[in-house]
Amino acid sequence: MHMYKEIPGLHFFPEFLSASDCQAMLDGALCIHKRLKNAVSSLTQRVDIPQPQLVQNDKDGLNQQKTFSRYTLPDHPKSIQCEVFSNYGGEGHQLVYCRGNENLPCFIEIQLPKVIEQLQALNLVTENLSSPSWRFTMNFYHHHKGQVAGFPFHVDIPANGVVTMIMNIQREATFEITNGQCTEAIHLPVGALLLLSGESRYQWKHRVLPTRSTENKESKIERVSLVLGIK
Ligand SMILES: O=C(O)CCC(=O)C(=O)O
Ligand SMILES: [Fe+2]
């Protein structure tokens, strides 16, 4: 594990997931993506998602007005609900949000024991996290104008939980985190887990840089990241 002493609450595990875990999770996420494409939304609406104060005045930060569509999907043996935001962080970035334990896809449920064990080892599972409520985000970054889309500077919204955990499962990326005075770039290999808690989660903002693509197919999904939030 790596810690950055100037960034309290950030824990970095470059080799948390095996190649086969990553592949299984990528297959699971792409399978859900495919089902979403063929499904009919039960609701489409505009919402205001106020961004945390720290980033509210950023001119290239996230737009607070969002449009999302809600879907119910089969995920054997249950069915799950999710909300789909196209172009969440900008063009080419699609965010799929599953709120609550009942809406966790099976492919991520089976990874939870390992994640919980890690949280316990870090002493992050305190009393109010002992029966956690999970949030799960799938980020699909598409090929857009010669690049793999990124995610501009933001602070994860409070609703996403007190600890957020990013799993990098398809392709490497550069993650950047800053508090205005200090900026750290962290290279995320495939299989990495980056855990944000405390100050790093609330007082620092982060982003993922777009990267040059090696492909040439507009709209192809080139990077998937999965984010678990616990509350
Ligand atoms: O894709 C990533 O690596 C980061 C995603 C992220 O910051 C988020 O979902 O809030
Ligand atoms: Fe984030």
Side-chain angles (χ1 to χ4, degrees), residues 139 151-152 154-157 160 164 166 175 196 206-207 227:
N139 290 300
F151 194 157
H154 64 283
V155 174
D156 294 348
I157 57 169
N160 210 31
T164 63
I166 300 165
F175 179 93
L196 301 174
H206 59 267
R207 68 170 168 176
V227 185

Side-chain angles (χ1 to χ4, degrees), residues 11-46:
H11 303 267
F12 178 43
F13 306 86
E15 296 178 15
F16 187 75
L17 301 160
S18 67
S20 64
D21 276 346
C22 289
Q23 189 61 52
M25 291 159 95
L26 180 61
D27 291 346
L30 292 176
C31 182
I32 288 192
H33 190 270
K34 203 155 147 194
R35 277 184 227 147
L36 282 168
K37 265 188 153 167
N38 300 324
V40 180
S41 153
S42 62
L43 170 91
T44 298
Q45 71 179 48
R46 286 178 86 82

Side-chain angles (χ1 to χ4, degrees), residues 1-13 122 124 162-164 177 194-202 204:
M1 180 186 61
H2 248 73
M3 288 186 72
Y4 293 83
K5 64 176 183 315
E6 69 283 13
I7 317 176
L10 182 145
H11 303 267
F12 178 43
F13 306 86
L122 294 171
L124 287 168
V162 292
V163 179
T164 63
I177 183 162
L194 188 66
L195 187 155
L196 301 174
S197 66
E199 196 178 315
S200 67
R201 187 249 179 274
Y202 290 107
W204 292 60

